[in-house]
Amino acid sequence: MPDPVTEQNRRSWNAVVPAHVSHRADEAAFLRQGGSTLFPEEVALLGDVRGCRLLHLLCNTGADSLSLAARGAIVTGVDLSDAAIAHARALSVASGIPATFVQADVYEYLAAAAAANTRFERIYAGYGVICWLRDLTAFANGIAHLLAPGGRFVLMEFHPASNMFNADWQLAYDYPQGGQTLTLPGVGDYVGAADGGLSPSGFLPGVRDFVNPEPCTLYRWGVGEVVTALVQAGLRLHVLREYCYVNGERPFTRMVATPERRMYPPADVPAIPLMYGLAVEKDTSDG
């Protein structure tokens, strides 16, 4: 039987996808003309992906997946949301950039791919992934099984330390840990709230005042728990970086944007880690 929390989260994502898409001007033309939705941080951690079989987990509506494919990777994108995958497939056709998109719960996909002896040289997940994982150990083990010897998993993620603050930069919450659940009214229209930070193809007003009718449940994990799960799965930590800015999103008030779509705290707020990135690798002798 499907996990009931996961099914409810799927409904919440299906509800918000049209609002997110409504703020992005002609993404297909943007990608077709050589545009990319990727940020320099994940590009650097992934390295040269030309010719690599690349799995993009929790790929959302597919623009990052197609940006990776345009860099020469052979891409498979996986996401829970039917609406997100339908959009990703249509975007692939409209942009002329080939990629395979699969609608599935991430744990079911990892298990099925392992059973089929599927292997990837790169696996990537980024920006708002960890909070949807109910089981870090199973996720890490699944990645370890699918990585080819010498392969690399890259994660770009919002720093859990930033979740300790409310929108006005006031310390208000405990540090996330232990997979504690957090139920919210629903996935919000963060693309609209980013005011162009997540719309490199061009920002459109789109849907206004979106209210998600479907609640969702998140899981709260710390950085140490993420790294430990990956290392205990047999993967070697290559790099762990923390950044005192965030790419694209505007989770706090008065954020200062740069032309590169980086969002910094205002001058009166001390620098705190808002984002982190890591790369782990599978030993070349590990089949």
Side-chain angles (χ1 to χ4, degrees):
M1 294 293 293
D3 174 65
V5 174
T6 301
E7 281 298 294
Q8 181 56 46
N9 286 344
R10 183 181 63 82
R11 290 192 288 270
S12 192
W13 275 105
N14 282 347
V16 78
V17 163
H20 289 175
V21 170
S22 75
H23 301 297
R24 293 169 170 148
D26 205 344
E27 257 187 332
F30 173 74
L31 293 169
R32 191 167 55 246
Q33 294 163 10
S36 174
T37 58
L38 300 170
F39 289 95
E41 291 80 6
E42 56 263 28
V43 171
L45 289 173
L46 282 163
D48 187 358
V49 298
R50 288 175 295 179
C52 289
R53 295 166 295 177
L54 188 150
L55 174 64
H56 185 186
L57 296 173
L58 288 81
C59 68
N60 202 271
T61 51
D64 285 355
S65 306
L66 296 174
S67 295
L68 289 165
R71 297 180 70 86
I74 304 162
V75 175
T76 299
V78 178
D79 198 87
L80 177 67
S81 166
D82 315 68
I85 289 299
H87 181 81
R89 289 170 176 164
L91 189 59
S92 175
V93 172
S95 66
I97 302 173
T100 299
F101 289 101
V102 179
Q103 187 277 320
D105 170 58
V106 64
Y107 295 100
E108 293 178 359
Y109 178 84
L110 290 172
N117 203 32
T118 305
R119 294 292 182 267
F120 298 92
E121 284 78 36
R122 295 286 190 280
I123 301 179
Y124 172 64
Y127 302 101
V129 169
I130 296 299
C131 64
W132 301 105
L133 301 179
R134 59 187 182 270
D135 188 336
L136 275 185
T137 299
F139 180 74
N141 287 336
I143 287 170
H145 278 108
L146 296 193
L147 277 177
R152 178 182 299 181
F153 168 65
V154 167
L155 172 70
M156 283 298 307
E157 189 55 281
F158 304 115
H159 204 295
S162 68
N163 298 141
M164 300 173 68
F165 297 83
N166 64 22
D168 294 318
W169 300 99
Q170 297 169 325
L171 188 61
Y173 310 108
D174 293 336
Y175 183 75
Q177 57 186 329
Q180 296 170 331
T181 58
L182 175 66
T183 299
L184 299 177
V187 182
D189 185 13
Y190 56 80
V191 178
D195 193 26
L198 295 172
S199 307
S201 62
F203 180 72
L204 301 174
V207 173
R208 299 177 184 271
D209 303 317
F210 173 78
V211 177
N212 198 323
E214 299 284 355
C216 63
T217 298
L218 281 60
Y219 303 89
R220 294 163 57 79
W221 301 102
V223 173
E225 293 172 314
V226 174
V227 174
T228 298
L230 292 166
V231 171
Q232 288 183 342
L235 301 172
R236 177 176 56 85
L237 181 63
H238 174 66
V239 65
L240 172 61
R241 294 175 179 152
E242 297 174 290
Y243 311 88
C244 293
Y245 57 85
V246 66
N247 285 334
E249 288 204 33
R250 293 178 181 267
F252 302 101
T253 59
R254 302 184 294 121
M255 297 201 81
V256 180
T258 71
E260 297 80 22
R261 296 186 290 132
R262 287 178 178 170
M263 310 293 173
Y264 287 85
D268 61 322
V269 173
I272 60 172
L274 300 179
M275 188 173 72
Y276 73 99
L278 64 81
V280 292
E281 296 178 342
K282 189 169 185 176
D283 191 87
T284 54
S285 62
D286 187 357

